Amino acid sequence: MDKLQIFDTTLRDGEQSPGFSMNREEKLQLARQIEQLGVDIIEAGFPIASPGDLEATRAVAAEIKHCRVAALARARQEDVDAALRGLEHAAKPRLHLFLATSDLHLKYKLRMTREQALDQIVKMVRFGSQHCEEVEFSAEDASRTDIDYLTQVVLAVVESGATIVNLPDTVGYSTPDDYAKMFRDVRARLGAYPDIILSAHCHDDLGLALANSLAAIDAGVRQIECTINGIGERAGNASLEELAVALHVRQDRYAVTTNIKLEMLYPTSRMLSSITGVSVPPNKAVVGANAFAHEAGIHQDGILKNPLTYEIIVPEKVGVPARKLVLGKHSGRNALRSRLDELGFQTTDAELAECYRMAMLQADAEKEITDRDLISIIHKVRRGQAPAPAAPGSSAATVR
Ligand code: KIV
Ligand code: ZN
């Protein structure tokens, strides 16, 4: 199994999207958590963007010792100088240089010819490699770049000292087949440099960021750039938790390993939401409130018989707390009503009385009642399927 490097850019691509800006302390808190989560590289910021971003990058770089810390810079001297200042105290620094390579960006945004851009890129990658132990180069808008020019740029940066080459789908335009083909074409022409790590960085404008990242892995990519909760420019980046869980659940399909501690995914997602005040949509894969909720009666029935019928991963595996309501003979109706409320069921007094009766019968037999049990009970009550009250002398277990 090959090792896949996880490059987390929550603090850079994620943080630069509207509503997600974080101050130095918040970035530090999240960086510590992301390091514990097991990522390989944390992109701490884009130091030229503001003095605050430079300061936060320096703070993260000084504190994070196990992961590599990256700082972003355009292929321009003042950007590179700022990024190197940001990385000054990093134990394992990575300078992340980028410049757009598509004709569209060159003509309208940078107003440069292909030759001018290539010169500028080579100059800055050379300079960066002399001042930082590791250099990554990103060809911005790679997926819309002419493949011959892209390959020329990739060979030039590798010859100038970059050891990681990232080919982003900057505007989320690519499809899995096209994206994989681009990597295969580039790899084929990198024959003399088998150790160069190719990296994918996908945006979700067409909802394809995860699919494109997985296709890139199939094509030999061994670094994926992603973010917690999939935050990032516009529709966001590939989401780290979706990627990690996809690779875990489909180990049969993707022969790569990561160091991600799956049980930290949910707590990390919650920490980001509480820091930024932006909650995760309920239907979000892995970390959304409904990701493990089962509403349809047929699904609940299947889950109760065997969770594998409708769950491809147990919630506890990704750190979603198993909410259990311990109901015993002394439990009150209020506890039951408030848990049902939290689960989204407002009950009438009659429904509550019936739920309580059924819950007590089950508690006698099983000692504790899970959220799944409660949902099943309330649905039965509402469908009029509650069992008849037990005859005097019969045991709770037989009623169930
Ligand atoms: O989307 C993109 O192209 C980027 C690069 C700067 C890596 O974020
Ligand atoms: Zn990006």
Side-chain angles (χ1 to χ4, degrees):
M1 289 262 248
D2 275 2
K3 169 83 197 321
L4 180 76
Q5 306 266 332
I6 301 294
F7 177 115
D8 180 277
T9 182
T10 307
L11 301 180
R12 198 281 296 169
D13 211 321
E15 199 257 356
Q16 74 191 43
S17 56
F20 289 97
S21 72
M22 288 172 245
N23 63 32
R24 178 180 178 279
E25 286 318 308
E26 291 166 339
K27 276 195 165 191
L28 266 175
Q29 187 191 354
L30 201 57
R32 289 184 201 114
Q33 174 82 7
I34 291 171
E35 180 174 47
Q36 294 298 315
L37 176 64
V39 312
D40 301 282
I41 304 106
I42 294 178
E43 185 160 59
F46 186 22
I48 193 74
S50 69
D53 212 346
L54 170 60
E55 196 38 50
T57 304
R58 282 174 70 81
V60 171
E63 178 151 340
I64 297 299
K65 297 293 171 213
H66 299 296
C67 295
R68 200 164 271 287
V69 175
L72 185 69
R74 284 165 297 188
R76 295 200 332 203
Q77 191 65 52
E78 57 272 37
D79 281 39
V80 177
D81 292 343
L84 291 174
R85 273 204 302 285
L87 293 172
E88 198 177 1
H89 301 295
K92 298 189 209 166
R94 178 184 292 183
L95 178 64
H96 182 188
L97 290 168
F98 79 100
L99 202 71
T101 50
S102 66
D103 288 335
L104 192 69
H105 279 237
L106 288 174
K107 181 171 177 192
Y108 294 101
K109 188 180 82 176
L110 298 177
R111 299 185 196 284
M112 277 177 151
T113 63
R114 288 184 181 184
E115 291 68 31
Q116 285 168 330
L118 185 59
D119 281 354
Q120 182 72 11
I121 290 167
V122 166
K123 196 166 128 209
M124 285 298 107
V125 172
R126 277 209 190 112
F127 177 84
S129 324
Q130 285 156 8
H131 293 85
C132 189
E133 64 182 46
E134 196 169 271
V135 173
E136 168 174 340
F137 177 75
S138 286
E140 191 189 10
D141 207 19
S143 54
R144 295 192 299 171
T145 298
D146 171 72
I147 191 70
D148 290 323
Y149 179 60
L150 185 64
T151 312
Q152 197 186 349
V153 170
V154 171
L155 278 170
V157 297
V158 165
E159 279 157 6
S160 308
T163 53
I164 303 101
V165 179
N166 183 40
L167 302 180
D169 183 27
T170 302
V171 289
Y173 172 80
S174 207
T175 64
D177 286 351
D178 290 351
Y179 200 48
K181 182 173 185 320
M182 175 189 71
F183 282 108
R184 288 202 173 96
D185 288 349
V186 168
R187 176 56 83 190
R189 295 199 231 168
L190 264 180
Y193 300 96
D195 295 335
I196 296 301
I197 296 181
L198 292 181
S199 165
H201 174 118
C202 299
H203 281 270
D204 210 27
D205 301 65
L206 297 178
L208 289 172
L210 177 66
N212 285 341
S213 303
L214 292 172
I217 293 171
D218 268 345
V221 158
R222 289 296 176 261
Q223 174 180 284
I224 298 287
E225 304 194 354
C226 48
T227 59
I228 306 298
N229 294 345
I231 67 171
E233 283 283 3
R234 306 177 311 281
N237 288 65
S239 127
L240 188 153
E241 54 279 358
E242 291 176 14
L243 176 74
V245 169
L247 294 176
H248 172 77
V249 171
R250 297 306 310 270
Q251 286 166 40
D252 60 319
R253 176 67 182 70
Y254 300 99
V256 291
T257 55
T258 72
N259 290 337
I260 297 297
K261 297 188 188 77
L262 295 180
E263 66 286 358
M264 286 190 66
L265 289 173
Y266 183 74
T268 308
S269 159
R270 296 306 293 247
M271 180 185 280
L272 175 62
S273 296
S274 82
I275 286 176
T276 58
V278 183
S279 52
V280 168
N283 61 324
K284 170 86 170 62
V286 183
V287 291
N290 290 349
F292 298 99
H294 303 277
E295 173 75 21
I298 294 170
H299 290 208
Q300 286 167 11
D301 185 50
I303 284 281
L304 291 170
K305 288 173 176 152
N306 181 344
L308 291 176
T309 51
Y310 287 101
E311 270 177 4
I312 55 171
I313 186 163
V314 288
E316 293 84 349
K317 182 84 191 163
V318 294
V320 175
R323 300 259 219 106
K324 287 183 176 165
L325 183 69
V326 180
L327 279 178
K329 288 184 198 122
H330 306 295
S331 303
R333 280 163 209 247
N334 283 345
L336 182 61
R337 189 195 291 273
S338 85
R339 189 72 202 114
L340 282 166
D341 265 3
E342 282 169 23
L343 291 170
F345 300 97
Q346 273 79 47
T347 46
T348 63
D349 287 347
E351 283 172 341
L352 183 68
E354 195 53 12
C355 285
Y356 188 73
R357 186 181 71 78
M358 289 175 67
M360 283 298 143
L361 288 174
Q362 185 156 342
D364 271 352
E366 310 240 346
K367 302 285 184 262
E368 62 184 14
I369 310 258
T370 63
D371 284 349
R372 270 186 197 147
D373 297 326
L374 278 186
I375 294 171
S376 168
I377 287 172
I378 180 73
H379 278 281
K380 279 186 185 151
V381 168
R382 287 187 174 168
R383 284 194 217 105
Q385 293 169 352
S394 69
S395 78
T398 54
V399 175
R400 284 183 77 247

